[in-house]
Amino acid sequence: MFFSTPHPMGLGRLYWLVIGLLTLGILAFPGRHFFVNAWKNLKHHQANMDTLVAMGTGTAWLYSMAVVLFAPWLPDVAQGIYFEASAMVIGLILLGNALELRARGRTSNALKRLLDLQSRTARVIRDGHEQEIEIDAVRAGDHVRVRPGERLPVDGQVMEGQSHIDESMLTGEPLPVAKHVGDEVSAGTVNGRGGLVYQATRVGTDTRLGQITEQVASAQNSRPPIGELADQVSSVFVPSVMIIAVLTALLWFNLGPVPQVIHMLVTATTVLIIACPCALGLATPISTMIGVGKRQSTVLVRSGEALQTASKLTTLVVDKTGTLTQGKPSVTDAQLFGVEQSTALSLVHALERGSEHPLAAALMNYAQENDAPVADIAHFDSVTGGGVKAQTPDGKALLLGNARLLKEAGVDLNAGKDQARALEEQARTLVYLAVDGKLAALFGVSDPLRHDTVAAIKRLQKTA
């Protein structure tokens, strides 16, 4: 002991009476629900951990208060006081509950971030009139207009226009996805530089975003299987402890020294106090806290079962783009065939200007980094799944895109065959430029690794 406590005699009795009343306050207010639940279980002839906590702490308090009130008439062996045991048991189990609530609070923050992705209003076209209405008023079948840079309010199918949609909040893929007439779009995603009109197909909680939100909300109330195991253990443990306490009392009453009644009460009370499930009450919440960890801002735990299953993982599959890489493609290689660099890049600058495609952005940035001017072109046309084409002012055909686009136009790619093979072996995406039917340039585009990728992979390997 780090400090001494007075004997429950004289002024010492007043000291312990104050301690007892303070402990009663802990039992009656913070610990009240243990006794309420124990009483409900008793009425249904059931017992759980709340029953054991209530019996242990209640018995310890009653016995200790009896010692304080009747200490002069009790033998020394019976003058043990256990107020601190009652307060400590309640405190430790409430600490476990607080840790569990903290873990759920982090899930609440994740839920709030998901709700922030939901638009508050939608621009709907009804009876030929465009009007902005509350998101709850949008109905399936409504035509919704989305302007460049706006967040989509509901799920639907594109009816007019084309654009690139940032779906990273749903898929984790940082590269925008091209959307044309007939394609599906989702609420919470962000429109690029094109305008779209789409027909609402799913609204409210039926949207993909709504379903994800519902999953996160249900995860707050889910428990890991180990929590259910603790309940199963308690269903056997609690009656066993009660039986042991009764047997201990009978044993000391019949075989113990004088005074038998005092020794019976002391030993039975000791069994109940020692058996209070502090460790079991803390084990599940603390394991949940450690499992969720300090990175809940970047990880959504779908359920308690998923969290426990994660401890058995042997293989981790990672989406490369935007996770291991920067998610921003850039030109890493450029091969020229009979043209000046400034000429080739000025044509690329002109052809890719205004395009939302990620590869177009990479080529544009490369041209700007090399201070390439914008060439004059005419008859611009975009080829879906291929690239773009146009003409110079003097009528020369321009093609910029993949190998299929150039081959279909009859362009011979043999001049860059070896370079293309070498770049493909380095996992580069190839973009060809042809001028007047001849291969003019070959660009290798890649998504560079993040600066911390190698270190992160090594940490994962070390942890495994």
Side-chain angles (χ1 to χ4, degrees):
M1 295 291 290
F2 293 102
F3 56 90
S4 61
T5 55
H7 197 67
M9 294 289 184
L11 291 177
R13 295 177 67 188
L14 179 60
Y15 168 84
W16 283 114
L17 182 61
V18 172
I19 296 297
L21 293 176
L22 291 175
T23 304
L24 178 62
I26 295 175
L27 300 181
F29 295 100
R32 181 175 181 271
H33 70 278
F34 293 113
F35 294 90
V36 172
N37 293 338
W39 176 249
K40 291 180 179 178
N41 288 324
L42 179 63
K43 290 192 296 185
H44 292 89
H45 307 289
Q46 296 176 346
N48 61 5
M49 282 302 172
D50 290 338
T51 304
L52 190 55
V53 171
M55 285 187 60
T57 57
T59 301
W61 186 88
L62 288 173
Y63 180 85
S64 300
M65 186 56 69
V67 170
V68 172
L69 296 176
F70 304 107
W73 300 279
L74 296 175
D76 291 342
V77 70
Q79 292 185 9
I81 296 178
Y82 306 105
F83 288 135
E84 82 288 351
S86 295
M88 187 63 71
V89 168
I90 295 294
L92 286 175
I93 297 178
L94 290 178
L95 174 62
N97 293 340
L99 293 176
E100 190 170 10
L101 287 174
R102 182 182 178 188
R104 291 184 181 181
R106 288 175 174 171
T107 308
S108 297
N109 292 334
L111 180 60
K112 182 178 182 298
R113 289 194 297 272
L114 283 174
L115 293 174
D116 288 341
L117 296 175
Q118 180 68 63
S119 299
R120 301 291 182 265
T121 60
R123 194 172 291 103
V124 175
I125 303 173
R126 289 177 179 171
D127 301 325
H129 299 287
E130 187 173 314
Q131 53 184 316
E132 190 165 341
I133 61 176
E134 294 293 325
I135 187 67
D136 295 335
V138 179
R139 302 189 298 267
D142 281 340
H143 284 200
V144 181
R145 184 183 299 279
V146 182
R147 295 174 179 172
E150 290 184 339
R151 195 177 293 276
L152 277 65
V154 294
D155 291 0
Q157 186 177 43
V158 178
M159 306 296 292
E160 299 177 19
Q162 60 181 12
S163 183
H164 281 72
I165 303 293
D166 178 3
E167 297 183 339
S168 58
M169 52 76 60
L170 288 176
T171 64
E173 178 63 54
L175 300 182
V177 180
K179 297 294 182 180
H180 305 87
V181 174
D183 290 339
E184 296 286 334
V185 291
S186 301
T189 57
V190 180
N191 186 28
R193 290 186 284 183
L196 293 176
V197 174
Y198 69 96
Q199 184 177 26
T201 56
R202 293 182 295 273
V203 299
T205 57
D206 293 331
T207 64
R208 291 179 65 185
L209 178 60
Q211 292 170 5
I212 293 174
T213 304
E214 288 290 329
Q215 281 189 345
V216 174
S218 63
Q220 288 184 296
N221 299 318
S222 67
R223 299 180 65 195
I226 192 174
E228 299 176 2
L229 177 61
D231 291 339
Q232 294 174 3
V233 170
S234 67
S235 65
V236 177
F237 180 70
V238 173
S240 300
V241 169
M242 296 171 66
I243 292 172
I244 292 172
V246 172
L247 292 176
T248 301
L250 293 174
L251 182 65
W252 279 86
F253 182 76
N254 290 286
L255 303 178
V258 177
Q260 289 95 336
V261 174
I262 297 299
H263 284 92
M264 176 189 73
L265 292 175
V266 171
T267 53
T269 302
T270 302
V271 170
L272 291 175
I273 294 173
I274 293 175
C276 275
C278 297
L280 199 56
L282 285 170
T284 300
I286 289 179
S287 63
T288 301
M289 279 289 296
I290 295 174
V292 172
K294 297 180 180 180
R295 296 291 182 180
Q296 179 65 19
S297 59
T298 55
V299 177
L300 287 181
V301 180
R302 182 175 182 178
S303 63
E305 182 179 1
L307 179 62
Q308 183 170 332
T309 303
S311 65
K312 303 176 183 178
L313 294 179
T314 57
T315 303
L316 178 64
V317 180
V318 181
D319 179 40
K320 175 181 70 69
T321 306
T323 304
L324 301 180
T325 64
Q326 296 179 8
K328 297 179 180 179
S330 61
V331 176
T332 57
D333 305 272
Q335 300 287 336
L336 302 175
F337 303 94
V339 296
E340 295 291 333
Q341 183 184 42
S342 59
T343 302
L345 293 183
S346 64
L347 293 173
V348 169
H349 200 168
L351 289 166
E352 297 291 26
R353 183 173 56 177
S355 175
E356 293 182 74
H357 196 281
L359 296 182
L363 291 167
M364 279 282 295
N365 291 334
Y366 184 71
Q368 292 172 352
E369 289 171 1
N370 287 273
D371 299 322
V374 181
D376 293 329
I377 60 173
H379 307 295
F380 177 86
D381 188 22
S382 177
V383 180
T384 303
V388 294
K389 58 184 180 180
Q391 289 183 358
T392 61
D394 56 358
K396 293 180 180 180
L398 300 174
L399 295 172
L400 181 66
N402 56 28
R404 180 174 60 84
L405 175 69
L406 274 68
K407 287 179 179 178
E408 290 177 353
V411 178
D412 185 7
L413 303 181
N414 286 328
K417 185 176 181 180
D418 294 337
Q419 293 90 333
R421 184 182 299 110
L423 292 174
E424 286 177 337
E425 290 176 353
Q426 300 176 43
R428 303 289 194 264
T429 301
L430 304 182
V431 180
Y432 296 85
L433 172 66
V435 179
D436 198 22
K438 297 179 181 180
L439 181 62
L442 171 63
F443 300 97
V445 182
S446 72
D447 190 2
L449 290 176
R450 294 164 54 105
H451 69 280
D452 56 351
T453 294
V454 175
I457 295 298
K458 288 182 178 179
R459 284 199 303 272
L460 288 172
Q461 292 173 337
K462 184 178 180 180
T463 303

